[in-house]
Amino acid sequence: MDSINQSTVANGFHHLQAAHCENGVTTALLKHYGVHKLTEPLAFGIGSGLFYIQLPFMKVNGGPAISFRTMPGLIFKRTCKALGIPVTRKKYASPQKAMQELDERLIAGKPTACQVGVFYLTYFPKEYRFHFNAHNLIVVDKQRDDYIISDPIMETLVSMNSYELQRVRFAKGAFAPRGQMYYPGDNLNEATDEQIRRGIISGIKRNCRDMLMIPGSFGGAKGIAYTGRQIKGWKNKLGDEKARGYLAQLVRMQEEIGTGGGGFRFIYGAFLQQAHAYLPIDELLQISQQITATGDKWRDAAIQASGIYKGRLGTQADYDNMGDRLIEISELEKKAFKDLKEAVKKAK
């Protein structure tokens, strides 16, 4: 796999590197089709991307099913809806038909987003390849049997051949993409400030609901404390080896799958700062600092977890420390989103 020179792409698509794949796809794809005001933080906030849940009766790759993001596709869908942009999304039973319809769009010079599995992405380092089927990228062009790919995680455009791209589009397992591709309408109008403003308000309200109002104990801010309490019991309940594996899973979901833990908080903090230009409520700047501070604490928690699963730490006190860190984060995020819920009530 070689990186691709930007000038070789026929349709003038401009690659953007981003912190999170769906944010990056949303921003780059909409810019290509005419919406230039959108930034990655604005897409993340308007799309209400911040989330947390631990599903207690489900396992992923042998570990706890933890998610720091909304369902795949919702950031793009919600952002487009807020800006009045039509969206087409397709899934396929036939790999041949999926590749044919993608080719038809590329021949017409229309870059198209796809949801894919990570495990067989040939341009990913091997240590980052595992069974995760909710990655997003943009297929920009086709040159002979090579597809030019804009993956927001990568510094430059990359490529895959037709066999490789079909394989990741039809990866098996949880959230199997089934050849899914999606794209906005053509020749979009630039978003108005009022559309962005209304999108910010609705995005904030939805994110406050998701972090504060999910029923039960394992979703939203409450879910973070739930996981913290679970961690305190893992050593005795699971034994050292399995408990370390569970913590490795937590860190993988937090820091390696789209910057889920600390990284998402930093993006959301940036969103609130940028939102202030459209929604001049000063509390947004203060809450931005609160959210950013929880991002630092998520990163500190990841370091603690890494010390345990790599064997440098391992006493019950170390597990208790890890659990207490998440319980503290839960309380801080609960306060931040309660403050945000009150602040956005001032929006006209």
Side-chain angles (χ1 to χ4, degrees):
M1 184 279 301
D2 296 319
S3 62
I4 305 300
N5 189 307
Q6 184 81 53
S7 64
T8 66
V9 177
N11 55 36
F13 183 90
H14 182 67
H15 172 73
L16 292 176
Q17 190 174 22
H20 172 241
C21 66
E22 193 174 344
N23 296 340
V25 163
T26 300
T27 307
L29 201 58
L30 293 186
K31 281 183 185 296
H32 180 79
Y33 284 100
V35 181
H36 299 284
K37 289 183 179 180
L38 196 67
T39 65
E40 180 183 2
L42 285 175
F44 187 63
I46 292 171
S48 306
L50 199 68
F51 193 65
Y52 185 87
I53 194 165
Q54 180 183 346
L55 297 172
F57 306 112
M58 184 177 175
K59 296 288 186 291
V60 175
N61 295 326
I66 293 171
S67 179
F68 289 84
R69 59 176 288 175
T70 57
M71 289 290 289
L74 283 183
I75 292 173
F76 184 78
K77 177 182 177 181
R78 291 166 173 173
T79 301
C80 288
K81 182 178 180 180
L83 302 182
I85 297 169
V87 172
T88 300
R89 187 179 296 271
K90 294 185 175 182
K91 294 183 180 180
Y92 299 87
S94 164
Q96 292 74 28
K97 185 172 177 58
M99 298 301 286
Q100 176 190 338
E101 291 200 8
L102 176 61
D103 285 353
E104 289 170 357
R105 285 191 55 80
L106 298 176
I107 289 168
K110 298 178 179 180
T112 300
C114 292
Q115 182 180 322
V116 301
V118 166
F119 190 77
Y120 293 110
L121 281 178
T122 51
Y123 55 82
F124 263 28
K126 288 185 178 180
E127 58 269 25
Y128 286 98
R129 296 186 206 169
F130 51 95
H131 293 288
F132 176 71
N133 290 331
H135 187 60
N136 295 269
L137 51 77
I138 303 169
V139 186
V140 174
D141 196 5
K142 186 179 182 183
Q143 299 175 0
R144 297 178 298 278
D145 193 49
D146 290 330
Y147 289 84
I148 311 304
I149 307 295
S150 175
D151 188 320
I153 304 303
M154 306 301 290
E155 290 186 21
T156 64
L157 294 168
V158 292
S159 68
M160 287 190 287
N161 63 37
S162 58
Y163 168 75
E164 292 165 344
L165 180 58
Q166 180 175 306
R167 183 163 61 167
V168 297
R169 291 184 71 193
F170 283 87
K172 306 298 184 184
F175 299 113
R178 293 166 49 201
Q180 181 173 172
M181 69 181 194
Y182 57 96
Y183 46 89
D186 298 332
N187 302 316
L188 303 177
N189 294 321
E190 179 62 271
T192 67
D193 287 354
E194 180 60 19
Q195 283 177 317
I196 294 174
R197 179 181 170 277
R198 299 308 305 178
I200 287 167
I201 294 169
S202 63
I204 288 175
K205 288 181 176 179
R206 186 167 46 229
N207 233 147
C208 289
R209 181 201 68 197
D210 287 348
M211 293 301 289
L212 297 173
M213 305 301 291
I214 293 177
S217 61
F218 44 81
K222 291 180 296 183
I224 301 168
Y226 171 85
T227 302
R229 293 190 296 271
Q230 292 281 304
I231 288 171
K232 291 186 177 191
W234 281 352
K235 180 178 172 66
N236 288 333
K237 181 179 179 181
L238 304 172
D240 284 334
E241 183 176 355
K242 194 169 184 179
R244 287 198 301 269
Y246 272 34
L247 281 174
Q249 170 86 335
L250 171 65
V251 174
R252 183 183 299 119
M253 301 303 288
Q254 177 181 327
E255 299 300 337
E256 294 178 12
I257 299 181
T259 71
F264 276 179
R265 275 67 191 170
F266 300 143
I267 299 170
Y268 202 79
F271 159 65
L272 293 177
Q273 289 181 344
Q274 293 181 16
H276 186 262
Y278 297 91
L279 198 66
I281 298 171
D282 288 343
E283 287 89 338
L284 295 183
L285 301 178
Q286 300 163 10
I287 299 165
S288 169
Q289 294 178 349
Q290 293 174 246
I291 295 287
T292 301
T294 67
D296 291 332
K297 290 186 178 296
W298 274 112
R299 289 285 163 87
D300 291 343
I303 292 170
Q304 172 74 6
S306 298
I308 296 173
Y309 76 70
K310 290 180 179 178
R312 295 193 299 269
L313 305 171
T315 68
Q316 180 59 45
D318 295 323
Y319 281 87
D320 289 343
N321 180 295
M322 179 66 195
D324 286 337
R325 288 173 184 267
L326 265 61
I327 290 169
E328 179 189 12
I329 290 169
S330 170
E331 290 302 313
L332 292 172
E333 294 202 0
K334 194 181 300 179
K335 180 182 185 306
F337 278 97
K338 283 181 177 178
D339 292 346
L340 188 56
K341 184 179 179 181
E342 289 303 311
V344 81
K345 289 179 180 179
K346 297 182 179 181
K348 295 283 193 279

